[in-house]
Amino acid sequence: MRGKIQLIGMVSSLLLLLVPAVAMAAGGGGAPIVIVSDTRDLEGILKWWGNLYNDSHLYFTLLTCALIPVVGVIFGVLADIVMSHIGIDLTSKDLPGH
Amino acid sequence: MEWLFVHMPIAGVDIFWPGLIILGLGVGIIGGFFGMGGAWMVTPGLNILGFPMAFAIGTDIAHMAGKSLVSTMRHGKFGNVDYKLGAIMIVGTVAGFEVGAQMVMWLERMGNVEVVVRWLYVVLLTFIAWMVFSDVSKAKKKAREAAAKGETLTDEHGLQWHKTLQKIKIPPMVYLKVAGIHCSIWLPIGVSFFTGWLAGILGIGGGLIRMPALIYLLGCPTHVAVGTDLFEVMISGVYGAGTYTFKGRTELVAAIIMLVGASIGAQIGAVATKYIKGTGIKVAFGCAVVGCLISVLMKLAVKYLPAFKFYLDWGATFLVLGLVAALSIYIFMKMLDGARKELAMKKARS
């Protein structure tokens, strides 16, 4: 258990220090672009979302980074429930070895 | 027909939302099955749907983060993710990527970057395709020979390069339980440095390179290579989503719509690995690599045949999208077939 905690701590530190390079590998770089969301014709949640983007890129980024995993997990769990309901065993699998 | 289009508040374009779900579903299946982000498939797809290229890249990474998370969760439950190996490999990947990025800048100063990168891509994809198919044919040949002797073999006994590499005994040694590998810690770091370096030069996520490297250079079983690679993709995807969003290049509305399809697709792809042998995964992966190679060659041909630019550009895009459709249908059918057999066995037992 202690070893696992140490490993998690080590990985987290490494991520904080080194992950920008990995992120660049995920899609390449490029010059930053400045865009203002045109919210004049928008309504409801889309208007709020556009305004949030115009007000603060930082909040917009933080919310995006929080929402993506949450949405992913929600959809993933829903798909889990559907597959379990069908009767597929989602917990065990025989691995073909070397 | 207005209801079929959704307005993107940041990019300011109207997008055909069923197209986003279908694209997400297709690359979700392929990503969950092969263990890769699939940027080479998604970016042209989003571009065709009407996204400016800058938003296509950012939105792809944002959806990839969520999709990889779903796939990693599923593969983790199957016992296909070696978290220890993944954590060790992050070190090499990052360092290798930095060296690759520096090399690109050096090539830029020399004025050769585009030609070098594109041809390196062609050489690399050709090599990966050759490696995968020669491994499969070797494995089949061995299986036939064993069958003639009345023996049975597991399905992963083709190329054995990892056995030579695992003889390197430079301390510290490490035991990777899930992958079943006992080797010097410098082997996974070295392999990930090499794949990271290539990813840095080519400007891609690296799943296309890392997955076969895990199999042939480290000796991971195919399923563990898929799961562990997805773990790496997930980490780079979450951070990548952050950086691209901060630059104003992510359309979260589109990413969430894509995630509807991608999360279902990722589950289908991951569950399909339960029913398909390692060899089957390799063959399908090899086909994907060949398709990708042809599309890159078509893009390269534009330079030499400018009169055919229109046909070559669209041909390459439709080839990639056709490949996504064909592979995802194949994987989905295999998954359905396997699930049907599993349910029939359950029924028979009860």
Side-chain angles (χ1 to χ4, degrees):
Chain A
M1 189 66 197
R2 202 171 153 186
K4 274 186 181 174
I5 291 166
Q6 278 179 337
L7 182 72
I8 291 164
M10 199 173 73
V11 172
S12 306
S13 311
L14 268 171
L15 285 179
L16 283 171
L17 291 167
L18 302 171
V19 95
V22 184
M24 278 186 71
I33 48 171
V34 181
I35 294 172
V36 177
S37 172
D38 185 359
T39 57
R40 287 171 300 182
D41 299 328
L42 297 178
E43 286 175 359
I45 197 163
L46 288 183
K47 189 178 182 74
W48 172 79
W49 188 246
N51 283 330
L52 179 70
Y53 176 80
N54 291 338
D55 292 343
S56 169
H57 270 208
L58 181 65
Y59 285 139
F60 182 84
T61 302
L62 290 172
L63 198 57
T64 300
C65 286
L67 277 172
I68 289 167
V70 169
V71 171
V73 169
I74 289 168
F75 286 142
V77 169
L78 284 173
D80 255 25
I81 292 164
V82 171
M83 287 198 188
S84 300
H85 186 73
I86 292 165
I88 299 168
D89 181 9
L90 295 171
T91 52
S92 67
K93 181 186 166 301
D94 295 325
L95 281 177
H98 257 292
Chain B
M1 298 300 259
E2 258 185 51
W3 63 277
L4 287 172
F5 290 82
V6 65
H7 185 74
M8 298 292 146
I10 313 301
V13 288
D14 292 324
I15 300 290
F16 181 65
W17 61 263
L20 287 174
I21 293 177
I22 293 164
L23 184 65
L25 182 74
V27 293
I29 292 174
I30 293 168
F33 186 73
F34 292 131
M36 56 187 181
W40 59 278
M41 297 180 277
V42 182
T43 308
L46 287 174
N47 203 221
I48 274 190
L49 285 169
F51 273 97
M53 195 47 94
F55 280 96
I57 295 167
T59 305
D60 166 32
I61 291 172
H63 114 277
M64 187 177 81
K67 178 185 75 184
S68 305
L69 180 77
V70 174
S71 301
T72 306
M73 280 166 65
R74 169 62 39 234
H75 278 284
K77 284 176 186 169
F78 279 156
N80 288 346
V81 185
D82 195 318
Y83 294 102
K84 192 175 178 182
L85 173 61
I88 292 167
M89 285 186 79
I90 288 167
V91 181
T93 301
V94 170
F97 184 82
E98 277 300 331
V99 173
Q102 291 298 325
M103 271 189 80
V104 168
M105 287 164 84
W106 170 68
L107 286 166
E108 253 177 359
R109 285 195 294 272
M110 302 263 290
N112 296 329
V113 67
E114 205 167 311
V115 176
V116 171
V117 166
R118 288 224 166 156
W119 281 110
L120 178 66
Y121 212 170
V122 168
V123 169
L124 184 75
L125 290 173
T126 308
F127 176 70
I128 292 171
W130 167 81
M131 194 168 64
V132 169
F133 288 118
S134 71
D135 170 55
V136 170
S137 68
K138 211 170 185 177
K140 282 189 172 171
K141 192 181 166 189
K142 281 186 182 177
R144 276 197 303 272
E145 285 168 1
K149 291 177 192 168
E151 298 165 359
T152 50
L153 287 173
T154 59
D155 71 330
E156 308 215 17
H157 48 268
L159 296 174
Q160 304 286 305
W161 299 340
H162 59 275
K163 286 190 175 173
T164 308
L165 290 169
Q166 282 176 18
K167 284 175 186 168
I168 299 164
K169 301 287 182 199
I170 304 165
M173 299 300 283
V174 64
Y175 178 60
L176 305 162
K177 195 179 168 188
V178 179
I181 300 165
H182 186 257
C183 63
S184 164
I185 197 167
W186 301 107
L187 178 59
I189 289 175
V191 168
S192 58
F193 179 88
F194 173 66
T195 56
W197 171 70
L198 283 170
I201 289 178
L202 300 172
I204 57 172
L208 203 66
I209 311 164
R210 206 166 35 232
M211 195 275 237
L214 281 164
I215 297 168
Y216 299 118
L217 302 181
L218 269 177
C220 279
T222 306
H223 295 73
V224 177
V226 169
T228 307
D229 192 28
L230 277 164
F231 173 64
E232 298 259 329
V233 170
M234 179 186 79
I235 290 167
S236 61
V238 170
Y239 193 88
T243 54
Y244 272 88
T245 306
F246 197 68
K247 286 175 187 168
R249 292 185 179 195
T250 305
E251 189 61 83
L252 187 69
V253 176
I256 288 176
I257 295 169
M258 279 184 81
L259 262 176
V260 175
S263 56
I264 297 165
Q267 293 273 8
I268 291 168
V271 172
T273 61
K274 183 179 157 130
Y275 306 118
I276 300 175
K277 284 182 180 178
T279 307
I281 296 174
K282 287 174 190 169
V283 169
F285 180 78
C287 293
V289 170
V290 169
C292 182
L293 172 65
I294 295 166
S295 76
V296 171
L297 283 170
M298 284 168 99
K299 291 271 184 190
L300 268 170
V302 171
K303 195 180 172 184
Y304 306 101
L305 302 162
F308 296 95
K309 187 182 185 310
F310 174 82
Y311 300 103
L312 287 167
D313 277 346
W314 280 97
T317 305
F318 278 103
L319 174 72
V320 168
L321 294 180
L323 196 71
V324 171
L327 279 172
S328 51
I329 289 166
Y330 164 78
I331 295 163
F332 182 61
M333 296 311 286
K334 284 279 184 186
M335 184 254 176
L336 274 184
D337 190 42
R340 202 180 295 125
K341 282 176 185 166
E342 186 186 344
L343 294 175
M345 275 168 68
K346 265 188 182 177
K347 220 173 187 178
R349 274 203 300 267
S350 61

